[in-house]
Amino acid sequence: MSTAKKPWTWEEDGYTVTRTCAWSPPGCHPVGCGLKLYVKDNRLVKVEGDPDHPISQGRLCIRCLSLPEYVHHPQRIIYPMKRVGERGENKWQRISWDEAWDIIVDKVQDIKAKYGPESIVVYGGTGRQACLYYYPLGFAALGTPNVCYPLSGWSCYGPRCAITQYVFGTGYPEIDFAGYYPDRYDHPGWKLPECIIVWGKDPLKSNPDGLFGHALVDMMKRGTKLIVVDPRLTWLASRAEYWLQVRPGTDAALALGMLHVIINEGLYDKDFVENWCAGFDDLKQRVQDYPPEKVEEITWVPKEKIVEAARFFARSKPASITWGLAVDENPNGVQVGHAILSLAAITGNIDVPGGITIGPPAALLGKWRVETRLELTEELWNKRIGAEEYPALANALATTHPDVTLDVLETGKPYPLKMAWFNSTNLISPTCSTAPDRWYRALKNMEFAVATDTFMTPTAMAFADIFLPLSTFAEHDGIVVTHFGRNTIFIGAINKALQVGECKSDVEICLELGKRLNPKAWPWNDVKEFFTDQLKPELGITFDDLKEEVVHQIPYQYKKYETGQLRPDGEPGFMTMSGKIELYSTLFEMWGDDPLPYFEEPPYSPYSTPELAKEYPFILTTGARMWGMFHSEHRQIRTIREIHAEPIVEIHPDTAVQLGIKEGDWVYIENMYGKCKQKAKLTVGIHPKVVHAQHGWWFPEKQADEPGLFGVWEANVNLLAPHKHIGKLGFGAPLKSLICKVYKAEA
Amino acid sequence: MSRNGLLIDYEYCTGCHSCEVACKKELNLPVGKWGIKLAEVGPMQVSPDRWQMDYVPIPTEFCNLCEERVAKGEAPACVHHCLGKAMEYGPVEELAAKMAAKGKKMVLFVP
Ligand code: SF4
Ligand code: SF4
Ligand code: SF4
C-alpha cells in the first residue's frame, strides 16, 4: 500500500470528491469503511470504495454501494414536520427547525413540571451513530435518567459488553485481525490466528460492532481455519474445519462440553491459568457435569465433533473467538458468554497477537456518553427504571431495564411515562422489541412524542407528533469509533460532502436542543469544537487533523495485564474483584446468580414445554442478517429490494414435504403469542426440526396510515417473542430459541 | 492484441452481491437488468463432513469489461469492490496461468 498522504478532498472531472468513513445512517455498525463520494451540483452522483482505507481497502458492501439511492430517495424526509391530523393519520405539515424547537422546548418543560423529568423516555435503536448520542440527549439535554434500549433483555451487544466487564474487567473482546496497523497482515508483531471460532454470528453479513467481516476471508486465504457454531449452514460454516450445528439456545452446554475436553485432557495454558485466572478449580469441577455424551443429547452436536473441535481449538496457537448475537438473545446468555470467555482465557489467547484483543470498558465518545449522566442529581438518577431490580444490568449499562420499562408504561407505576423520544429506532417493526403489539398499545398513550429518522417509519407514523429529519453520513461531519469506544481499532473521519434539505446529524440535534434546555452541558459552538474536545485528551489530535487524516489507527499494546495497563492503579492483572480473569464470578454470585457457567433449557422448547411442543413442534430461530438490509432499514431502496424482495423463512425440504409446503409458498409461522407471514425457502442448511424467520420487515410501499402502518404487523416475527422471559440478571430474551408451527397461507 | 477477461476464485466468492450492485451502478442499469449476476450451487452435503455452497458471478451481455474505467487505469467496478477479493481482470493468458497455478475452484470469463 502506498504511504503517500492522500488529500481528503479534491476536484475531478467536474466532481468534488470527498474521502470519508461510513457510519449509519444508512444502517450499519461503526465499521467505518472508506468511501470516495462524488458530488456534482449538490447531488451525490456516485460512490467508490477508497483503496487507501487500511481496513476495507476499496471494498464496499451493497449498502454503501447504493448510498446515492438512499441519500436522494424521493420518500426521504428532509424537513422537520409536525403532525396536523390524528396520530397515525399521516397528515403532516412542514415546519422550520426554530418552530420545531419551540414546540419541543415548551412541551418538555411543561411535562417536566407536571410529571417530573423521569416521565420522559428516550428510546434508541441499534448500530447507528445515534448510539453514542441518545444517552447524552436524555441525560444532558432533556434531563431524564430514562434512556431505553427497548429490546427485551437488552439482547444486543450490551450483554456481551457487561459480561466481559465483569469477567475480564475490560471492554469488548475482538479477533485480532491486524486492524490496528497500516501494514495490516504484514505487520511484524502480528500473528495469523491458526483457528477462529465463529460463535452464533455471521460477520460477513453483519460487519458487527467494528469488525470488517471479510477480514475473516482475508485470513482464511492466509491459512486460518474455522470452527463455526451455528444452527444454520452459513458460508463460513460451509468452509469450516468443524461446523457444530447446535440446537438453538443450547450454546452454554456446548461451551461447557468443550471446556470439559480441554480441562480434562490438560490442553489449557497452565501458566496463564496459574497467574491470571481465578476459580479454575471450581470451573474444573463444574465442567464434570458436562461430558460430551450428555452435551450431545442437549445440543444435538455429535460428541466426536465436540471433542475434536475442542482439541483443535486448544492446540491452535494463537487462536481467537468471535461471539455474536446468539449470546445476547438467550436467557442463559450470561452463562454462554462466561463459558466462551473462559474458553478463550484458559487457552491463553487473551491480549496476544492473533488472539483476542481487549479495549478499555469506555473510551472517547463512549466514555463521554455515559459520563453525561453526572448532569443528573443522585435523586433523579436513582429513579432510573429497573435499576434496583436488575443491578447487574444497571451497573454496566447506563440505560433503563427494557422489560421493566414496558411494565412501567403499561401500569403507570411507580410513576407515569408521558413523553417519548424515538431516536433512530423503529421499535415496533420486528427489530428492537419483543411483544411489539404491547409496546404499540402502551406507547399510543403518550402526551407528546418526537421521532428522529431518515424516512417515515411505522414507529414514527404510529406515535410521533414531531418528526426531525436526520442526515446520512454523507451529509455531516462526525467520527466513527469502532466498537463504540470499547475496543477502538481506528478512529475514522466522517467528512461532509453535501447538504440534503434541512437534515441534521444526531450531534447537531443534541447541541441545538441541549443549548436550549441545559446550556452548561453543551458549551461547544459547533460540532468541530465538540469533536476536538473528544479527541484531544486521548489522542492529541483535533477534528481538523482527523478530517485530513481520514483514518487514525491506534497501535495496539499486547499483554497489558503484565504491564499494569489494564488497571487505573497501574498494578499488573485485570480490573476485576480478584484482579484476575474471573472463571468464578464473585459479581454474578453477589447478584444472586451462579458464579460459574451452567446450562438451562430455553423457556420454550421440546424439552422444557413438551405439551406446548405438540402444537408447536418446531424450534423457531430469528435474527440472521441479510447482505443489504440493516435490521429494519433499506426496505425502500430499489436495488437492495431487488436482491431481498420479500421476508424469507427457511425450512428443511423434508419438513416442507410433510407440511405440504413448496419453495416460494407464503406460509404462516405461529405460536401461542402471535403469528406472521413469510415466504418459504427450502434449504438443507437448516435442521429439519428448526425454522429460521427473518426479522426487520415492513413495507414502505404499503398503506402508511393506521391501521396499516406500512404492513408492520404482517411479517412481524417478533409478535411470536414473549415479554420478560429473561435471565436472572436481567439479560437475554429467547429470540433465537422459540417454538412455532408452520402452515401454508392462502396466498 | 490479447483478449481480456474476468477470473473468479469461487472458493472465496462469498455471494455478497457487491459485484452485481457495483456493476449496475457503473452501467446505470434499470430494475431487472444486471451486468453480472450470481449463480448459486448448493448448499449440498457432499460427504458427512463436507458441504458445497458456492457462488459464481456470471457477466451478462451488458458487460463491457468496464472499458471507461480501464481506459483511465482503474480496475473494473466489480473487481474493485469485491468483498471476497475473488475477482481479477486482465489478459486471458495471464489469468489462465493463475487459474492453473491455483488449480481449484477457479473460472475464467471472456464476456
Ligand atoms: S459494512 Fe457495508 S454499510 Fe457498513 S460501512 Fe462497510 S460498506 Fe458501508
Ligand atoms: S467488468 Fe464492469 S461491466 Fe463487466 S461485470 Fe464487471 S463491473 Fe460490470
Ligand atoms: S463481489 Fe466478489 S465475493 Fe461478492 S459476490 Fe461478487 S465475486 Fe463474490
Side-chain angles (χ1 to χ4, degrees), chain A residues 327-366:
Chain A
V327 176
D328 304 328
E329 294 192 335
N330 182 341
N332 189 203
V334 169
Q335 292 71 36
V336 177
H338 194 187
I340 291 175
L341 292 181
S342 302
L343 272 170
I346 69 165
T347 50
N349 285 304
I350 302 301
D351 216 14
V352 297
I356 293 172
T357 63
I358 41 180
L364 293 154
L365 283 125

Side-chain angles (χ1 to χ4, degrees), chain A residues 48 57 60 69 221 239, chain B residues 18 25 32 54 69 84-85:
Chain A
E48 176 90 6
Q57 302 170 340
L60 290 178
E69 277 182 69
K221 288 182 184 169
R239 274 133 175 94
Chain B
S18 282
K25 299 289 169 195
D54 290 336
R69 290 178 64 105
K85 289 197 177 180

